[in-house]
Amino acid sequence: FPVENIRNFSIVAHVDHGKSTLADRLLELTGTIDKTKNNKQVLDKLQVERERGITVKAQTASLFYNCEGKQYLLNLIDTPGHVDFSYEVSRSLSACQGVLLVVDANEGIQAQTVANFFLAFEAQLSVIPVINKIDLKNADPERVENQIEKVFDIPSDECIKISAKLGTNVESVLQAVIERIPPPKVHRKNPLRALVFDSTFDQYRGVIANVALFDGVVSKGDKIVSAHTQKTYEVNEVGVLNPNEQPTHKLYAGQVGYLIAGMKNVIEAQIGDTLYLHKQPVEPLPGFKSAKPMVFAGMYPVDQSEYNNLKSAIEKLTLNDSSVTVHRDSSLALGAGWRLGFLGLLHMEVFNQRLEQEYNASVILTTPTVPYKAVLSSSKLIKARRAVQKNMIFIDQNRVMLKYLFPLNEIVVDFYDSLKSLSSGYASFDYEDAGYQTAELVKMDILLNGNTVEELVTVVHKDKAHSIGKAICERLKDSLPRQLFEIAIQAAIGSKIIARETLPIFKNIFQYGGDITRKMKLLKRQAEGKKKLRKIGNVEVPKDAFIKVLKTR
Ligand code: GTP
């Protein structure tokens, strides 16, 4: 295929603005998939994606399109639709020369529209604004055109107005792809240089790496090297994605496709890695970063007898997702488990949901925490503020874009929900990592009758310690069974008590009187319950109480 007839592009959009629907229409228009079949959202494959209507794992497709007597190869490189995966988005975009920026004609520019635009802009891609859902009653495409002109400095006449649902004007999107996006700048005569922009694991064939070829050619039987791991592999299969894998003899620079080379784990084909031919090393493509987990949570089987099943389910899932980090962990209260690191909250929820849906696992997930760096000096004396406003831009009379610097731990737990409910669903939110900042953090202990409960030690911001400590004490009071003496439940920073609840004495069941069999039953149940108890000082704490305090939901 001549390079000048190739276009590599991506569709980016705020959640629900119609990215997948537009992709489906483009696949139908080019005959890649059959219109008559029920192929709704072919590119979204996972069950959780269908349920949540979001793209987690990107899917890619090569489309053939005839225009004015010439045949074009249009590689549609799908990107994940959430900020947690912004690194993956940036790698997918680096395989493209242009993007379709889809904006809902009713909702207008949203947080992820802005984030995606800047990712594309930084990668110096051609941006084609597509205003979607013009069929909606409340659609106001002119308003959205003005927003796009104001915020992105793209002339309003460059916007294409479509209804992806009805198929209205979708053909002109393909025209624009051909006219406004340049062909890739590649060198087929140079030695192979291929970017890995996604990878999946297949039980039978091993790792399937999605690649974009910047230079050279790759064929079955070639020996290739990963620039990141320096491991050498023999290529077993190459091919294109239509959108299912279709083997070919070779892949040439400018093409996008897949490659199978006996890699056993997706960690061997990390997103952003460069592949080259054995003994023909090349300068790796820029921008590679190892996945960096931002949110950590403990994961435990509900029942310890499920430990091995859960272990194998986690292993299988991580075979497909190299961005999850797994470390063995154990908790006196919850038993043996793991400490998992995720790219963000959605990533964590999706992982958890996949474990439950695809592997039938039932797990306890503890409240997520974020990484801190501790410096042992007096620099904590520096006054830290929690959210600092960085700028404010009016998108139009009705919308304003605010930029803040936030500590990550302030947004990992229910920030998004609060924002949505405060704004009656109108506000949208996106974030990027701004690095470590100094903060006044304290270690908070939870005490039962003066003894520290190791499982509940946390790091919190000094100003939040009181409210968090109080909430934990209240939750413990509600979940601890009463005992034969009073229990003081306290939150403390060092030797200073900052919150306290008191659990009153349990009245001995024999004081109730009544029939003896009922008493015996109660005693028996108490004895069974005690097996699962842990003693902290003289206080007996059942496993359930820990679960109630530690669990996210
Ligand atoms: P993510 O994968 O989460 O990024 O979502 P998406 O951008 O792929 O959105 P999707 O294509 O799933 O569409 C979201 C919703 O909007 C679906 O219910 C679609 O049926 C609907 N939708 C998409 N395009 C149109 C359109 O042109 N008109 C109308 N009325 N609805 C549309």
Side-chain angles (χ1 to χ4, degrees):
F1 231 100
V3 174
E4 60 273 18
N5 289 10
I6 298 180
R7 300 290 182 275
N8 294 330
F9 71 106
S10 205
I11 308 179
V12 291
H14 186 76
V15 111
D16 270 354
H17 282 197
K19 186 179 80 166
S20 311
T21 312
L22 175 60
D24 285 355
R25 283 300 94 71
L26 298 181
L27 263 65
E28 283 171 12
L29 255 182
T30 52
T32 315
I33 57 167
D34 196 341
K35 214 173 182 168
T36 55
K37 283 196 192 140
N38 188 12
N39 264 326
K40 206 179 149 300
Q41 307 196 351
V42 188
L43 296 185
D44 281 3
K45 276 185 183 164
L46 300 175
Q47 188 186 347
V48 326
E49 292 181 329
R50 294 223 183 86
E51 276 178 19
R52 291 175 175 244
I54 47 147
T55 314
V56 176
K57 209 68 193 152
Q59 300 282 322
T60 290
S62 296
L63 327 174
F64 294 96
Y65 184 63
N66 285 314
C67 180
E68 292 165 5
K70 279 194 216 155
Q71 201 187 31
Y72 289 88
L73 170 63
L74 311 180
N75 294 310
L76 165 55
I77 298 169
D78 196 10
T79 58
H82 195 273
V83 279
D84 284 3
F85 310 106
S86 58
Y87 171 66
E88 304 190 10
V89 177
S90 80
R91 291 308 83 207
S92 296
L93 292 187
S94 71
C96 297
Q97 284 70 48
V99 295
L100 300 172
L101 180 69
V102 178
V103 189
D104 183 307
N106 184 359
E107 290 199 342
I109 291 180
Q110 295 288 325
Q112 281 158 259
T113 319
V114 178
N116 281 317
F117 171 80
F118 283 107
L119 282 176
F121 185 76
E122 278 160 22
Q124 300 183 323
L125 307 186
S126 313
V127 176
I128 304 175
V130 176
I131 302 179
N132 186 31
K133 308 198 189 182
I134 56 166
D135 59 296
L136 285 178
K137 244 202 344 247
N138 296 329
D140 190 352
E142 280 71 37
R143 184 175 66 93
V144 180
E145 270 180 359
N146 291 333
Q147 290 183 346
I148 289 173
E149 183 154 339
K150 176 152 187 216
V151 181
F152 304 137
D153 207 15
I154 301 177
S156 55
D157 61 2
E158 289 189 16
C159 296
I160 305 175
K161 293 174 230 168
I162 67 159
S163 163
K165 190 172 171 186
L166 306 180
T168 319
N169 214 16
V170 174
E171 188 105 31
S172 54
V173 174
L174 286 176
Q175 291 285 346
V177 166
I178 288 169
E179 285 162 16
R180 299 196 214 163
I181 298 176
K185 281 201 193 80
V186 296
H187 305 279
R188 288 189 171 165
K189 298 230 157 60
N190 287 3
L192 174 71
R193 194 152 68 135
L195 170 78
V196 178
F197 64 87
D198 194 12
S199 61
T200 49
F201 178 79
D202 180 288
Q203 209 181 333
Y204 304 104
R205 298 188 293 171
V207 173
I208 304 175
N210 285 3
V211 290
L213 270 70
F214 282 67
D215 293 314
V217 186
V218 67
S219 340
K220 186 178 165 173
D222 281 347
K223 279 215 167 115
I224 54 162
V225 182
S226 144
H228 175 57
T229 65
Q230 289 294 311
K231 282 193 190 164
T232 305
Y233 304 91
E234 186 175 320
V235 178
N236 305 325
E237 187 178 320
V238 295
V240 292
L241 297 149
N242 272 337
N244 297 319
E245 286 125 28
Q246 189 184 319
T248 55
H249 295 297
K250 290 172 191 290
L251 277 179
Y252 295 92
Q255 274 192 302
V256 167
Y258 71 95
L259 176 153
I260 301 175
M263 296 167 174
K264 301 262 181 313
N265 189 311
V266 279
I267 287 177
E268 294 174 83
Q270 280 198 42
I271 293 177
D273 197 1
T274 303
L275 303 174
Y276 57 82
L277 290 178
H278 185 55
K279 295 199 172 139
Q280 295 185 46
V282 295
E283 181 74 15
L285 294 153
F288 176 79
K289 279 196 278 187
S290 277
K292 183 170 123 198
M294 301 288 280
V295 173
F296 295 84
M299 185 176 273
Y300 299 88
V302 170
D303 191 325
Q304 279 293 315
S305 65
E306 286 292 307
Y307 178 86
N308 283 330
N309 289 343
L310 184 58
K311 178 166 177 260
S312 103
I314 290 175
E315 276 165 6
K316 280 189 196 131
L317 260 188
T318 47
L319 273 179
N320 239 317
D321 188 348
S322 61
S323 49
V324 180
T325 59
V326 183
H327 294 285
R328 267 219 297 225
D329 200 0
S330 73
S331 146
L332 290 170
L334 304 177
W338 301 268
R339 183 145 204 84
L340 302 183
F342 302 97
L343 297 175
L345 264 202
L346 178 94
H347 186 213
M348 175 178 95
E349 285 176 19
V350 165
F351 189 86
N352 192 26
Q353 199 174 336
R354 290 189 67 186
L355 272 178
E356 286 173 0
Q357 284 175 348
E358 295 167 33
Y359 297 95
N360 246 331
S362 50
V363 301
I364 299 163
L365 200 60
T366 65
T367 309
T369 57
V370 301
Y372 293 108
K373 270 185 189 165
V375 181
L376 302 174
S377 75
S378 60
S379 68
K380 288 204 174 151
L381 293 173
I382 296 167
K383 192 91 195 142
R385 267 178 271 170
R386 274 196 298 284
V388 188
Q389 187 170 334
K390 299 306 271 185
N391 75 16
M392 171 152 86
I393 294 168
F394 285 91
I395 294 178
D396 59 21
Q397 291 99 315
N398 304 320
R399 285 214 168 252
V400 60
M401 176 164 80
L402 299 165
K403 222 174 156 178
Y404 281 92
L405 204 57
F406 262 105
L408 182 63
N409 97 323
E410 296 289 337
I411 55 174
V412 290
V413 183
D414 72 19
F415 173 78
Y416 187 65
D417 291 341
S418 314
L419 180 73
K420 278 283 175 199
S421 70
L422 268 177
S423 65
S424 312
Y426 283 106
S428 60
F429 152 77
D430 199 344
Y431 64 87
E432 62 184 12
D433 181 16
Y436 284 94
Q437 302 269 330
T438 332
E440 281 188 274
L441 302 170
V442 289
K443 175 170 160 267
M444 183 171 71
D445 294 320
I446 301 294
L447 314 173
L448 290 178
N449 280 351
N451 296 301
T452 305
V453 188
E454 296 298 335
E455 295 71 0
L456 301 180
V457 175
T458 45
V459 172
V460 293
H461 191 274
K462 187 173 138 277
D463 295 348
K464 291 254 166 140
H466 174 69
S467 60
I468 297 175
K470 189 164 180 292
I472 295 180
C473 290
E474 282 168 3
R475 274 165 94 172
L476 256 179
K477 185 184 172 190
D478 290 342
S479 44
L480 273 180
R482 292 182 183 197
Q483 294 171 32
L484 295 170
F485 41 83
E486 198 177 79
I487 301 173
I489 305 170
Q490 296 166 309
I493 296 170
S495 57
K496 194 172 153 227
I497 304 296
I498 55 162
R500 175 186 169 122
E501 292 290 326
T502 308
L503 186 67
I505 293 180
F506 171 70
K507 286 213 181 89
N508 193 311
I509 54 162
F510 288 109
Q511 288 166 5
Y512 288 119
D515 114 64
I516 189 75
T517 44
R518 194 174 144 265
K519 279 179 204 158
M520 292 317 289
K521 264 192 206 153
L522 270 171
L523 278 177
K524 195 162 168 245
R525 216 181 303 151
Q526 255 193 335
E528 273 166 12
K530 272 195 181 143
K531 282 188 205 147
K532 290 179 193 150
L533 297 181
R534 195 169 106 65
K535 255 193 139 163
I536 291 164
N538 59 350
V539 182
E540 289 172 333
V541 185
K543 188 173 163 183
D544 271 7
F546 282 115
I547 295 176
K548 280 187 193 134
V549 177
L550 291 171
K551 237 172 106 155
T552 37
R553 278 163 293 194

